[in-house]
């Protein structure tokens, strides 16, 4: 069934815009008022619509829908007639025609109009003037129009090719303004308790769910000014009981035509104020819908609460004479289709049935050892929600939730009902909920006065519990199934996210972000470097970012939890206790009770109290265990007076196992990466020396992710006074194996050159060293040279090019030429005959040395090559050595769109010009 209500406004068309309204047809001679079309001048003050499936039970559901709608509108005088007519017309549609039935209720100032349409595909349209056969009263079907003629003030039938719509109008009887509901006179001590002045918060919510109006009483109750909350979603303020995997929430409640019940509103101080609310969906003259919410403090609910109305039996109004279901008699009709709504309706009806001050309902865990609070009403706060109590609290009948129990005075037996400790309740009756002999929950009603309940009330409550136990268990199993599906989806997504990174800090952030706010209100992650280290607070997250710093400061002052490897969540009370003590000390200092100044600490009270409220609820710790070692702890917390559900803790435990493995993998990867980077950096030159009279610039790019050193290498180092060695080489291959030969070559070059050997002698000895590596040896191309700046401003360069790309010389006039001749590479043959060549660089000349990663840069079948490199170099006249190297690198990068697959090194050396460049 789908419903929708739009109160207020003028008479709308009941059919979509643009659809032609069929002509009304009636029997000749029939009185006009019985078939007249609706008045276009009547004002519609409310509209309710519902659609029912073509099944037999839809008839009873339609009756309940019409009954509740009209009773909610205050039209009790016409409810019975409307229910009878609706029952017949819906039966014709869903049973005889076998189609969906659309029911539309329209409220006007003087009555109600109800339309019932079906979607029978083959509709015979009566001809004008033909006799209408109303059918026999004894037939199973066909009585709907007869009843309309007998009971309705006006009625009619509308036809199109796709549906038939039967409508009837019921006028309200003339009656003076009088009493709608009344209660007996009561002694003053039995009247509901309220504050000196009862404040009713009036809040209006627009169609988007945001606050559009906020009166003075709302400011007084919750502490927020109208300017602070206007435009904010009500969901930011409402503490609505929410369970992952279920869809019930404040947003859904705001869409209903009328809603009444309990929830909480977060005040400006961060505390949750339990309220009783009455919602009414309205629309303005422009047709814009909104919801008006009346809110009072929960203990003042009598101001707004609708008196309990026992639904009339279907036997009295339905022609089939069937009796009402005892479940519907207790719960009401229609029954909520979600577990939270069903439980809340149950406790409210149980409290009203026994005239109690509060009621509560607990559901048993799977092993039936504990009961978890799932719904309550009339209690001072929502702190009991999801709290757990043992099934067997003590010896004897009264200590077990498996048997009904009546306590005349809880003050005489302290702790008999732990849930009611400190609530002011004195007498209580509890009964079990059982399905097929198995304990599934417990229902209780309590009163502030002692001796209120006896075995008679226990029997009444037990009878009601037996009526609802099966429905509650069915709804609970449905919720668990949805929760399990949601949990599996959550864990799959979490595993994908955690597996997608090997960064330790990002893993910590993901762990916290996946738990807040899905599993907890705030989260802290402790890490342990090794078994000898203490836990370290690594990450803190709260759903309100403004509270993160306060929680982080608080936890830094609290000793970390013990790294116990035992699986499962364990309660950690230290944060809440420390926060409570800090808030108490701050409050005392602000009041001057400690003798200190008050003005200096007053500004810090707000954050301190907010932090205390944020961590004042239940806090649990889950170990992060990977490879049989505790590597950290995952801490989850709730705000003041809130507890974790068992299902949430089990889901958090599954998440902690996955997060621990991901965190340990990230740690191992970080350690390996740090070691690799340290070793690679040791193979690079410590730096480029400053050479008087020369400009030297180097650009180095190693191929592969995470590599700092590859098969290409370079070096510039001093040999003797005013003499410097330089080298640029390329080892066969890339990666760690090539980098090993790189280290050997670079260190050997420095050592041999400083021994005073010539360039060919240095390379010949290096060749022998490479060959001595045996199977690990790799051939090497190398350009080695020595430079000596001259007094006339030039530079003398002696170079040996062993199988390496030739160095290029750029003159001041823009000409480019090779500066050496090719010779055999190293690491292949033992006896080498190498020679060196002398090149003199004039002021302004550039000597460019590169590895083959530059010249062999490819884009498809194209290659940059030696000629392409020379063409780029010709455009570098007058540039500094750094600018020359940068331009060459840009040209190489732009030549192809793909990332380089080979290492690249560029060494540019320039003799400054005689004049300032």
């Amino acid at each position: 069934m789908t419903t929708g209500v739009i109160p207020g406004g003028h008479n709308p068309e009941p059919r979509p815009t643009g659809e032609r309204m069929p002509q009304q047809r009636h029997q000749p001679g029939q009185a006009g008022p019985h078939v007249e079309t609706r008045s276009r001048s009547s004002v519609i003050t409310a509209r309710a619509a519902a659609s029912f499936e073509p099944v037999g039970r839809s008839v009873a559901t339609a009756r309940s829908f019409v009954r509740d709608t009209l009773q909610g509108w205050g039209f009790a005088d016409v409810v019975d007639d409307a229910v009878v007519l609706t029952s017949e017309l819906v039966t014709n549609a869903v049973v005889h025609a076998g189609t969906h039935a659309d029911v539309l209720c329209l409220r006007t100032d003087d009555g109600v109009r109800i339309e019932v349409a079906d979607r029978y595909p083959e509709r015979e349209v009566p001809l004008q003037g033909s006799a209408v056969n109303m059918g026999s009263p004894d037939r199973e079907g066909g009585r709907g129009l007869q009843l309309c003629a007998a009971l309705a003030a006006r009625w009619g039938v509308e036809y199109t090719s796709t549906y038939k719509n039967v409508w009837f109008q019921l006028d309200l009887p003339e009656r003076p303004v009088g009493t709608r509901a009344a209660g007996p006179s009561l002694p003053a001590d039995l009247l509901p308790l309220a504050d000196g002045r009862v404040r009713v918060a009036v809040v209006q919510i627009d169609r988007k769910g945001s606050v559009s109006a906020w009166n003075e009483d709302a400011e007084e109750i919750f502490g927020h000014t109208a300017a602070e909350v206007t435009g904010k979603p009500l969901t930011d303020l409402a503490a609505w009981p929410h369970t992952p995997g279920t869809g019930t929430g404040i947003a859904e409640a705001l869409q209903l035509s009328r809603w009444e019940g309990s929830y909480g509103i977060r005040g400006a101080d961060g505390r949750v104020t339990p309220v009783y609310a009455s919602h009414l969906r309205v629309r303005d003259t422009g047709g814009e819908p909104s919801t008006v919410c009346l809110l009072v403090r929960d203990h003042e609910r009598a101001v707004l609460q609708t008196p309990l109305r026992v639904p009339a039996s279907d036997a009295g109004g339905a022609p089939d004479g069937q009796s009402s279901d005892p479940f519907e008699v207790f719960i009401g009709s229609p029954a909520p289709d979600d577990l939270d709504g069903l439980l809340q309706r149950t406790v409210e009806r149980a409290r009203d049935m026994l005239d109690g001050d509060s009621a509560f309902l607990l559901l048993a865990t799977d092993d039936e050892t504990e009961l978890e609070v799932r719904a309550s009403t009339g209690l001072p706060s929502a702190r009991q929600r999801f709290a757990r109590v043992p099934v067997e609290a003590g010896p004897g009948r009264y200590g077990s939730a498996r048997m009904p129990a009546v306590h005349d005075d809880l003050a005489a037996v302290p702790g008999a009902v732990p849930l009611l400790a400190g609530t002011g309740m004195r007498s209580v009756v509890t009964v079990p909920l059982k399905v097929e002999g198995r304990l599934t929950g417990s229902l209780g009603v309590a009163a502030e006065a002692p001796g209120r309940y006896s075995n008679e009330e226990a029997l009444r409550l037990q009878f009601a519990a037996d009526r609802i136990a099966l429905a509650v268990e069915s709804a609970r199993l449905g919720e668990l199934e949805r929760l399990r599906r949601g949990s599996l989806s959550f864990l799959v997504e979490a595993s994908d996210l955690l597996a997608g990174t090997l960064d330790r800090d990002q893993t910590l952030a993901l762990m916290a972000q996946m738990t807040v706010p899905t599993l907890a209100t705030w989260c802290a992650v402790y890490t342990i470097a090794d078994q000898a280290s203490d836990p370290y607070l690594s990450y803190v997250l709260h759903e309100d970012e403004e509270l993160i710093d306060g929680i982080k400061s608080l936890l830094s002052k609290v000793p970390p939890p013990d790294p116990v490897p035992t699986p499962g969540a364990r309660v950690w009370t230290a944060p809440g206790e420390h926060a409570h003590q800090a808030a108490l000390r701050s409050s005392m200092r602000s009041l001057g009770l400690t003798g200190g100044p008050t003005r200096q600490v007053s500004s810090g009270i707000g954050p301190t109290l907010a932090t205390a409220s944020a961590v004042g609820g239940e806090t649990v710790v889950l170990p992060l265990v990977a490879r049989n070692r505790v590597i950290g702890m995952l801490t989850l917390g709730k705000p003041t007076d809130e507890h974790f559900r068992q299902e949430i803790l089990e889901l958090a435990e599954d998440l902690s196992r996955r997060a621990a493995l991901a965190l340990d993998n990230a740690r191992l990867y970080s350690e390996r990466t740090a070691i690799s980077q340290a070793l690679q950096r040791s193979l690079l030159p410590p730096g480029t020396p400053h050479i008087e009279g020369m400009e030297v610039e180097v650009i180095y790019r190693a191929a592969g992710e995470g590599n700092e050193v590859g098969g290409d290498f370079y070096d510039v180092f001093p040999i003797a006074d005013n003499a410097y060695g330089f080298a640029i080489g390329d080892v066969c291959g890339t990666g760690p194996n090539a980098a090993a030969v790189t280290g050997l070559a670079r260190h050997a070059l420095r050592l041999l050159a400083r021994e005073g050997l010539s360039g060919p002698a240095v390379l010949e000895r290096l060749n022998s060293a490479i060959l001595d590596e045996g199977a690990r040896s790799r051939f090497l191309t190398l350009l080695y040279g020595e430079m000596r700046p001259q007094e006339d401003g030039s530079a003398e360069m002696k170079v040996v090019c062993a199988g390496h790309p030739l160095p290029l010389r750029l003159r001041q006039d823009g000409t480019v030429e090779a500066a050496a001749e090719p010779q055999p590479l190293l690491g292949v043959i033992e006896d080498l005959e190498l020679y060196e060549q002398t090149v003199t660089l004039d002021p302004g000349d550039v000597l460019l040395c590169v590895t083959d990663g530059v010249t062999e840069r490819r884009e498809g079948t194209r290659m940059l090559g030696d000629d392409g490199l020379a063409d780029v170099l010709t455009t570098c006249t007058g540039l500094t050595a750094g600018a020359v190297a940068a331009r060459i690198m840009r040209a190489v990068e732009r030549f192809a769109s793909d990332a380089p697959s080979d290492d690249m090194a560029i060494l540019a050396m320039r003799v400054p010009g005689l004049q300032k460049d």
Side-chain angles (χ1 to χ4, degrees):
M1 181 186 75
T2 57
T3 63
V5 179
I6 309 176
H10 296 284
N11 186 0
E13 292 290 342
R15 300 295 157 208
T17 304
E19 182 175 304
R20 183 179 178 184
M21 180 64 70
Q23 182 180 2
Q24 298 294 316
R25 303 181 184 272
H26 59 86
Q27 183 179 1
Q30 185 179 0
H34 291 289
V35 292
E36 67 180 10
T37 57
R38 88 181 68 140
S39 173
R40 297 290 178 179
S41 62
S42 61
V43 177
I44 301 247
T45 57
R47 179 178 183 272
S51 180
F52 302 93
E53 298 179 352
V55 292
R57 64 175 180 274
S58 294
V59 178
T61 308
R63 289 196 298 264
S64 300
F65 165 70
V66 173
R67 180 190 301 113
D68 285 354
T69 299
L70 299 190
Q71 286 178 337
W73 290 347
F75 288 177
D77 295 331
V78 297
V79 165
D80 291 339
D81 290 346
V83 168
V84 170
L85 295 177
T86 301
S87 179
E88 284 296 328
L89 297 178
V90 173
T91 299
N92 290 339
V94 302
V95 176
H96 301 300
T99 73
H100 283 73
D102 299 327
V103 179
L104 174 66
C105 300
L106 301 174
R107 183 183 68 184
T108 63
D109 295 333
D110 54 357
V112 62
R113 174 191 174 105
I114 297 178
E115 300 181 2
V116 179
D118 64 51
R119 308 170 189 174
Y120 192 64
E122 299 178 1
R123 180 67 59 202
E124 179 182 355
V125 181
L127 299 177
Q128 181 72 25
S130 62
V132 178
N133 181 11
M134 300 295 289
S136 170
D138 298 328
R139 291 180 57 192
E140 180 181 358
R143 297 175 297 185
L145 299 184
Q146 279 188 317
L147 290 174
C148 288
L151 300 179
R154 290 177 296 279
W155 64 277
V157 185
E158 300 173 357
Y159 287 96
T160 71
S161 59
T162 57
Y163 74 87
K164 180 183 75 174
N165 182 42
V166 181
W167 63 271
F168 59 88
Q169 177 88 24
L170 297 175
D171 293 337
L172 292 178
E174 294 292 336
R175 59 183 180 183
V177 177
T179 301
R180 177 182 174 186
S185 300
L186 297 176
D189 59 344
L190 297 181
L191 296 176
L193 181 65
D195 294 337
R197 174 187 172 186
V198 177
R199 298 185 180 272
V200 179
V202 181
V203 182
Q204 192 155 0
I205 310 299
D206 61 21
R207 68 185 308 166
K208 297 180 180 179
S210 301
V211 176
S212 59
W214 186 270
N215 71 342
E216 294 181 358
D217 281 355
E219 295 183 10
E220 182 67 25
I221 295 175
F222 308 120
H224 301 288
T225 64
E228 292 174 344
V229 299
T230 300
K232 291 185 177 180
L234 182 62
T235 53
D236 290 352
L237 304 175
W240 187 271
H242 177 68
T243 301
T246 64
T248 303
I250 185 67
E252 287 75 12
L254 292 174
Q255 298 300 318
L256 301 177
S257 61
R258 185 181 295 274
W259 185 90
E260 188 174 319
S262 302
Y263 52 89
I265 296 292
R266 297 186 187 276
D269 58 357
R271 295 182 177 273
V272 175
T273 301
V275 298
Y276 192 83
S278 176
H279 296 177
L280 177 65
R281 189 78 164 162
V282 300
R283 65 172 179 169
D284 58 22
T285 56
E288 187 72 13
S290 61
T291 303
V292 177
C293 306
L294 305 181
L295 312 174
V296 296
R297 293 183 175 91
D298 192 66
H299 64 274
E300 298 171 342
R301 62 170 54 231
V303 176
L304 298 180
Q305 188 171 21
T306 302
L308 179 64
R309 182 184 71 250
V310 178
S313 173
D314 286 342
D320 53 14
Q322 296 179 355
S323 61
S324 297
D325 185 355
F327 171 77
E328 290 191 1
V329 172
F330 180 70
I331 292 297
S333 180
D337 57 359
D338 64 287
L339 179 61
D340 288 335
L342 177 61
L343 299 184
Q344 192 63 35
R345 179 86 66 89
T346 298
V347 296
E348 291 173 358
R349 294 296 169 87
R351 179 203 59 197
D352 296 338
M353 183 180 71
L354 297 187
D355 194 22
D357 297 312
S358 65
F360 51 89
L361 192 149
L362 302 88
L363 295 183
T365 56
D366 292 339
D367 57 3
E368 297 184 22
T369 60
E370 287 185 316
L371 294 169
E372 188 176 61
V373 181
R374 292 299 303 272
S376 63
T377 181
L379 296 177
S381 71
R383 73 177 186 273
Q384 290 81 10
R385 184 167 172 81
F386 298 132
R388 291 173 295 278
V389 297
V391 171
E392 307 292 345
R397 168 188 170 186
Y398 296 102
S400 174
R402 302 181 187 277
M403 299 290 292
V406 177
H407 295 274
D408 292 331
D409 192 351
L410 293 178
V413 190
V417 184
L419 181 64
L420 300 180
T423 62
M425 300 298 158
R426 296 286 295 276
S427 55
V428 61
V429 53
T430 62
V431 296
L433 275 70
K434 293 184 177 181
V435 175
E436 297 179 352
R438 183 174 59 88
L439 179 69
T440 61
S442 177
L443 176 63
V445 178
E448 295 179 351
R452 285 282 298 276
Y453 302 115
S454 63
N455 288 338
E456 181 180 353
E457 283 79 12
L459 289 174
R460 292 178 59 195
L461 189 61
Q462 184 66 70
F463 179 80
D466 293 340
R467 302 284 76 74
I468 66 170
L470 185 59
V472 169
E473 180 66 4
S474 177
R476 186 184 74 89
L477 293 177
E479 181 198 62
L480 287 177
E481 181 61 25
R482 291 190 296 271
L483 181 61
R484 290 190 179 98
R485 289 199 300 266
S487 300
L488 289 175
S489 177
F490 172 78
L491 290 175
V492 168
E493 182 180 358
S495 299
D496 289 342
L497 290 174
L498 291 172
T501 179
L502 287 173
D503 182 82
R504 176 182 175 276
D505 294 337
Q506 189 174 359
T507 302
L508 291 172
L510 284 174
M511 290 170 56
Q513 291 167 6
M514 285 185 293
T515 57
V516 176
T518 305
L519 305 182
T521 306
W522 63 272
C523 167
V525 182
Y526 291 85
T527 56
I528 303 175
D530 51 61
Q531 295 182 353
S533 302
D534 293 329
Y536 173 76
L537 181 63
S538 299
Y539 201 91
V540 175
L541 184 66
H542 191 280
E543 61 182 5
D544 185 353
E545 294 183 357
E546 296 181 356
L547 297 176
I548 293 178
D549 291 338
I551 297 178
K552 187 181 298 183
S553 176
L554 171 69
L555 295 179
S556 64
K557 301 174 184 177
V558 177
D562 297 330
V564 178
T566 305
R570 53 191 175 91
V571 178
W572 186 32
T573 60
E577 295 173 352
H578 193 279
H580 176 74
Q581 294 297 328
L584 181 61
R585 290 193 299 268
S586 297
S587 299
M588 294 179 65
R589 286 196 299 268
S590 68
L591 297 174
L593 300 179
T594 59
T598 60
R599 181 174 301 177
Q600 296 180 0
V601 299
S602 296
S603 60
I605 292 180
T608 302
L609 294 179
T611 302
S613 177
V615 302
E618 189 175 41
T619 302
V620 297
V621 178
L622 297 105
L624 299 175
V625 180
R627 298 175 177 88
N628 299 322
R629 187 174 72 88
V630 180
I631 63 172
M633 284 89 71
L634 178 64
T635 303
L636 307 179
K638 287 281 191 179
T640 300
D641 297 338
E642 291 193 20
H643 298 265
F644 285 98
R645 292 189 58 182
Q646 186 62 34
E647 293 86 353
I648 296 298
L649 295 180
E650 293 173 358
L651 180 58
E653 185 177 355
D654 287 338
L655 176 64
S656 67
R657 287 195 292 267
R658 290 165 169 79
L661 187 59
L663 183 61
D664 198 46
N665 289 336
R667 177 187 63 83
L668 293 175
Y669 178 78
S670 299
E671 291 178 357
R672 300 298 187 272
T673 301
I675 294 172
S676 175
Q677 291 176 346
L679 292 176
Q680 290 185 66
R681 282 192 292 269
S682 68
L683 300 177
L684 292 174
T688 303
H690 173 71
I691 302 176
E692 188 69 28
M694 290 292 296
E695 295 176 2
V696 180
E697 183 66 26
V698 177
I699 296 179
Y700 184 78
R701 298 285 190 273
E705 183 179 358
N707 291 333
E708 296 188 25
V709 177
D712 291 6
F713 69 95
Y714 70 92
D715 201 359
V716 180
F717 54 91
I719 298 176
D721 292 340
N722 203 35
Y724 298 86
F726 65 91
I728 184 169
D730 185 359
V731 179
C732 173
T734 59
N737 293 329
V741 180
T742 294
L744 171 64
R746 193 179 67 80
H747 291 292
L749 284 175
R750 286 194 172 216
L751 180 62
L752 295 172
R754 288 171 179 172
E755 290 295 327
L757 299 176
S758 63
V762 169
L763 268 60
E764 290 170 0
R765 286 167 172 75
L766 176 59
N767 180 65
S768 298
I770 294 175
L771 293 174
D772 289 342
E773 291 292 309
R776 295 182 300 174
S777 66
R778 290 170 175 259
F779 63 81
L780 167 68
T781 68
L782 179 64
L783 173 65
Y784 172 75
E786 297 178 0
M787 73 176 79
R788 289 180 174 81
Q790 304 298 311
E791 294 181 358
D792 60 357
S794 63
E796 182 184 81
M797 318 288 284
K798 293 183 178 182
V799 297
V800 180
C801 186
H804 198 77
L806 300 179
L808 299 179
R809 176 181 181 178
L810 171 65
R811 296 183 182 273
Q812 278 191 317
D813 59 3
T815 60
V816 175
E817 61 184 7
E821 297 176 354
Q823 301 184 57
L825 51 77
L826 307 180
V828 178
I829 58 178
E830 295 183 0
D831 297 328
L832 288 179
E833 295 182 2
L834 303 175
Y835 59 91
E836 65 183 4
Q837 296 173 276
T838 301
V839 180
T840 301
L841 297 183
D842 296 327
D845 288 355
V846 175
L847 185 66
L848 177 66
C849 308
V850 301
T851 58
D852 60 5
V854 174
T855 57
E856 295 179 2
R857 178 72 162 147
R858 293 180 180 275
E859 174 70 15
T861 58
R862 298 187 307 120
M863 186 173 71
L864 181 62
D866 296 333
D867 295 338
L869 178 63
D871 292 341
V872 177
L873 185 58
T874 57
T875 65
C876 299
T877 304
L879 299 181
T880 63
V884 171
R887 178 168 293 187
I888 298 298
M889 179 56 71
R890 284 198 302 272
V892 173
E893 291 174 343
R894 293 174 180 174
F895 187 81
S897 58
D898 296 336
S901 59
D902 195 5
D903 306 326
M904 292 187 295
I906 300 174
L907 172 61
M909 294 170 286
R910 178 177 180 267
V911 180
L914 297 177
Q915 297 180 354
K916 186 176 181 181
D917 292 336

